[in-house]
Amino acid sequence: MARLADFIDRYRVTNGKHFRLKDYDPADTRGVKSKQRAEELLREGTQRLSEMQDKLYAQDRWALLIVIQAMDAAGKDGLIKHVMSGVNPQGCQVTSFKVPSTEELDHDFLWRTTRALPERGRIGIFNRSHYEEVLVVRVHPQILTSQKVPPPLVTQDIWKERFEDINAFERHQTRNGTIIRKFFLYVSKKEQKRRFLSRLDEPEKNWKFSAADVRERERWDDYMDAYEDMIRHTASKHAPWYVVPADNKWFTRIVVAAAIVDTLDDLKLEYPQVDPIKRRELAAARRLLLSGDRGGKGRTSS
Ligand code: AMP
Ligand code: MG
């Protein structure tokens, strides 16, 4: 029977040199047929995640950044909700990146993501990220104009330069204790159509539908080329991409949960050790509590 750890290697890209999207199947479920088994696996994943997050927070040394990228309707929001369901909200920060504001456009393209990075001890989730800068902006290069980059700096090499800068940024973060894991939820064009139609057909899903999404869909092939090139240039050992099959939402969730659990496992997290001074402090506090509250009159709350 499949274990959680079995769902990672197949989808992890640590070196993008020979990466091709067509080697991956959005409908893959790696032989897991029963949804019930999938739910058990996810429950196991979220349980372990919750335990490890508690230690991560207590230690206050490492941070974990989870980057999620995908085409519309691939299931980003639901994924975040399900995978993080057991996690203490205090230790977790979700940031959604939309079309940049005027203030954001007044800065370099990594400014807003840098500001949203998780603090030590926290898990940060980027729902879209700095990678939009080599995806939507690449598919619609006219967006570059609104970014106000001085024209002599916008050359043929701009995408290559952005990949380099993203890699340097991620290496810098890694070297300072922020672990980065990146997930591309790979949905098929056919499944996206099905999900768009259900957004139109079901009143409680209407709000999720945006006409712009259908226009982006027309550029599907350009987006896939951009995703492929992005993974080729930005997959690394320290900040790998996971190409996660996304036609079955329950499967997407297991893969992502497994990858996060595996990542935190590698940190061998433990609660901080109490040193002798702290131990004496704890012992003194215990004595004080047990000796009864002498001095001030204990006030009751009425
Ligand atoms: P949604 O996630 O569906 O709410 O949509 C957010 C929209 O913001 C998407 O269409 C993204 O492509 C767009 N977006 C996010 N980041 C950028 C960016 N850096 N430049 C331009 N558009 C962006
Ligand atoms: Mg959308």
Side-chain angles (χ1 to χ4, degrees):
M1 195 152 54
R3 292 166 317 122
L4 205 52
D6 298 336
F7 296 95
I8 310 166
D9 293 355
R10 169 75 188 88
Y11 310 111
R12 180 173 45 212
V13 186
T14 53
N15 178 343
K17 219 171 178 179
H18 303 293
F19 175 76
R20 287 174 316 178
L21 208 45
K22 70 173 167 64
D23 294 337
Y24 294 78
D25 174 10
D28 188 11
T29 59
R30 220 174 181 279
V32 180
K33 291 203 184 68
S34 93
K35 254 192 168 173
Q36 194 198 333
R37 178 67 189 137
E39 274 161 25
E40 280 166 27
L41 283 164
L42 183 62
R43 212 169 317 121
E44 180 193 330
T46 50
Q47 171 63 33
R48 291 183 58 198
L49 187 56
S50 154
E51 291 159 14
M52 287 192 283
Q53 185 231 6
D54 206 46
K55 292 179 183 166
L56 184 82
Y57 189 83
Q59 262 194 357
D60 201 15
R61 294 292 181 276
W62 299 99
L64 173 63
L65 173 64
I66 296 166
V67 170
I68 302 174
Q69 283 293 156
M71 295 298 281
D72 288 302
K76 291 191 270 70
D77 297 338
L79 172 81
I80 295 168
K81 184 164 95 182
H82 282 86
V83 173
M84 303 317 277
S85 59
V87 166
N88 179 351
Q90 272 211 92
C92 183
Q93 303 153 332
V94 183
T95 312
S96 298
F97 292 97
K98 312 269 175 185
V99 175
S101 68
T102 317
E103 187 192 18
E104 287 166 349
L105 289 173
D106 253 341
H107 297 269
D108 72 274
F109 80 91
L110 289 173
W111 185 74
R112 66 174 181 165
T113 29
T114 306
R115 280 163 45 107
L117 286 169
E119 305 151 61
R120 296 191 193 282
R122 310 284 176 115
I123 299 177
I125 300 177
F126 284 0
N127 182 349
R128 302 187 190 272
S129 66
H130 45 294
Y131 283 102
E132 290 291 328
E133 294 289 336
V134 292
L135 293 168
V136 66
V137 184
R138 192 170 187 183
V139 172
H140 301 282
Q142 64 275 22
I143 297 177
L144 276 173
T145 316
S146 69
Q147 297 192 338
K148 302 201 290 184
V149 181
L153 302 183
V154 182
T155 69
Q156 294 272 353
D157 290 334
I158 189 145
W159 311 116
K160 187 176 130 272
E161 288 168 0
R162 288 194 167 186
F163 291 142
E164 280 172 15
D165 295 338
I166 289 172
N167 287 333
F169 166 71
E170 293 182 355
R171 195 174 53 233
H172 168 66
Q173 291 309 325
T174 304
R175 284 175 171 165
N176 283 274
T178 298
I179 316 269
I180 302 174
R181 295 292 181 268
K182 305 175 293 203
F183 298 90
F184 167 44
L185 311 191
Y186 185 25
V187 74
S188 66
K189 195 175 180 191
K190 194 166 137 219
E191 177 63 16
Q192 191 202 47
K193 179 176 180 177
R194 209 186 59 75
R195 292 184 191 173
F196 278 172
L197 287 172
S198 79
R199 287 180 179 187
L200 293 171
D201 294 343
E202 298 171 36
E204 65 276 23
K205 287 189 183 167
N206 283 172
W207 66 274
K208 287 191 188 178
F209 186 81
S210 135
D213 294 351
V214 175
R215 284 197 297 277
E216 292 313 295
R217 178 181 164 81
E218 311 242 289
R219 305 292 304 272
W220 187 272
D221 291 346
D222 297 326
Y223 270 106
M224 291 306 115
D225 288 347
Y227 268 107
E228 187 171 77
D229 208 40
M230 171 194 84
I231 292 171
R232 281 182 177 221
H233 286 92
T234 59
S236 62
K237 237 184 147 106
H238 58 269
W241 274 105
Y242 293 80
V243 181
V244 187
D247 278 6
N248 297 285
K249 290 177 178 175
W250 53 269
F251 187 70
T252 312
R253 292 165 191 168
I254 309 179
V255 175
V256 176
I260 301 174
V261 165
D262 181 61
T263 302
L264 292 175
D265 243 353
D266 280 349
L267 294 178
K268 309 259 175 283
L269 297 165
E270 290 300 339
Y271 288 107
Q273 289 287 323
V274 172
D275 62 22
I277 297 173
K278 180 85 181 167
R279 213 187 312 279
R280 274 199 294 279
E281 251 177 58
L282 297 179
R286 167 186 289 274
R287 278 195 302 277
L288 193 63
L289 281 167
L290 291 176
S291 69
D293 299 304
R294 276 162 301 177
K297 298 187 189 97
R299 254 188 223 141
T300 52
S301 60
S302 64

